Amino acid sequence: MMNVKVLTLFPTFFDSFKETSIIKRALDKGSVHFEAINFRDYTLDKHNNVDDTICGGGAGMLLACQPIVDAIKANRTPDSKVVMLSPQGKKLDQKLVHELARNDDIILLCGHYEGFDERIRDYVDEEVSIGDFVLTGGEPAALVVSDAIIRLRDGVIRSDSHEDDSFENGLLEYPQYTRPVAFEGKMVPDVLMSGHHENIRKWRLKESLRKTYLRRPDLLETRKLNEEEHKFLQEIIEEEKQSR
Ligand code: ADE
């Protein structure tokens, strides 16, 4: 069982996420528990303030220590992984998704306004960014992280349906087709209709390499290629030269 708690000022943000498709099914089955909890439930002042002006001046408001830290303390267990969403965090990729998904108990902190009082970071195990851009709050980022980790948990989707996903083997996924075999003159590649499993495997590997070479050559810089992959990549480089 995986327990995901999102601490946020806007719990309703997550309503449609909980009620839709694969995530809904995972929650209904009980393989995942997902809960969005309001920081405001932990304020001690009579106005339920969670934010305050910034010391030293400047525009905007910051989430203050007391309600945020109390919310963390009230919801974490000794096994919890407390993750702050922020553009200053480690950039999310599928490797980090796998690491996060290994935790049975995860707490996601969503900032809003100008962000968090710096001292809140002392109560956090990991800070994660979903990319080099700035959102109005951490909620869309927490949604992205929740979705990506929940789908990797046992029984949520068939494991053979994520083995070939983009990034799982360091490459983009190969092109895929469904019927009809001909659509507006565009054909499904013959090999995929041949029933020849070894040829299909080779085609998929080569086309996966081609997509990666054309769209994300940076992924090939760090990935080791075996002999077969190396041969395919040389062929692709020649073929792409010819077609230009
Ligand atoms: N909050 C605001 N921008 C963010 C980002 N890029 N990633 C994670 N949390 C954020």
Side-chain angles (χ1 to χ4, degrees):
M1 229 276 272
M2 177 183 234
N3 194 3
V4 181
K5 287 182 178 175
V6 181
L7 306 186
T8 170
L9 288 172
F10 304 99
T12 59
F13 185 92
F14 299 91
D15 287 352
S16 66
F17 174 67
K18 289 188 288 188
E19 283 156 26
T20 308
S21 183
I22 293 169
I23 302 299
K24 176 175 168 41
R25 224 184 318 131
L27 303 186
D28 287 349
K29 269 200 342 201
S31 37
V32 181
H33 175 78
F34 180 94
E35 195 179 351
I37 294 161
N38 201 328
F39 288 127
R40 234 176 262 287
D41 297 343
Y42 296 89
T43 54
L44 296 176
D45 76 300
K46 62 173 186 283
H47 300 293
N48 285 140
N49 284 324
V50 291
D51 58 336
D52 209 335
T53 55
I54 302 174
C55 297
M61 305 282 274
L62 280 186
L63 292 172
C65 290
Q66 180 274 315
I68 308 303
V69 171
D70 281 352
I72 295 170
K73 288 178 176 171
N75 285 286
R76 78 175 167 205
T77 70
D79 298 326
S80 295
K81 181 92 168 172
V82 179
V83 178
M84 172 186 278
L85 284 314
S86 122
Q88 301 174 12
K90 183 170 179 189
K91 211 193 285 181
L92 189 68
D93 60 14
Q94 194 63 10
K95 181 165 170 281
L96 181 52
V97 169
H98 275 281
E99 286 168 25
L100 294 172
R102 276 202 286 275
N103 297 286
D104 288 334
D105 198 314
I106 191 154
I107 295 181
L108 302 173
L109 301 184
C110 304
H112 229 86
Y113 313 114
E114 290 303 302
F116 296 94
D117 184 304
E118 188 67 21
R119 293 167 290 184
I120 294 169
R121 293 196 159 83
D122 292 347
Y123 302 84
V124 163
D125 300 312
E126 181 121 33
E127 191 166 338
V128 172
S129 164
I130 62 162
D132 291 343
F133 44 83
V134 180
L135 304 165
T136 58
E139 286 77 14
L143 205 145
V144 166
V145 169
S146 299
D147 185 279
I149 62 180
I150 289 171
R151 71 188 283 283
L152 291 183
R153 296 289 294 199
D154 281 348
V156 174
I157 55 178
R158 278 173 52 166
S159 64
D160 60 354
S161 88
H162 47 75
E163 276 158 13
D164 282 349
D165 282 346
S166 291
F167 310 114
E168 288 297 354
N169 63 358
L171 301 173
L172 300 184
E173 192 169 37
Y174 45 79
Q176 299 186 95
Y177 302 85
T178 184
R179 276 171 285 266
V181 171
F183 177 76
E184 297 199 343
K186 301 172 214 295
M187 305 301 292
V188 174
D190 286 337
V191 61
L192 299 179
M193 307 307 289
S194 69
H196 192 302
H197 296 298
E198 177 58 9
N199 286 351
I200 292 171
R201 183 195 66 79
K202 285 185 182 156
W203 184 89
R204 285 180 167 164
L205 175 60
K206 183 168 176 181
E207 295 314 311
S208 176
L209 281 160
R210 188 190 310 276
K211 266 217 173 161
T212 311
Y213 171 72
L214 293 174
R215 297 182 178 198
R216 290 293 304 277
D218 59 299
L219 295 176
L220 294 175
E221 280 164 24
T222 47
R223 188 183 183 284
K224 285 200 179 66
L225 299 184
N226 65 29
E227 207 175 313
E228 182 184 40
E229 291 165 346
H230 183 75
K231 175 179 85 84
F232 282 150
L233 186 60
Q234 294 315 308
E235 291 173 14
I236 290 162
I237 291 170
E238 268 318 300
E239 288 161 15
E240 295 301 322
K241 253 194 243 151
Q242 305 296 322
S243 76
R244 257 188 276 129

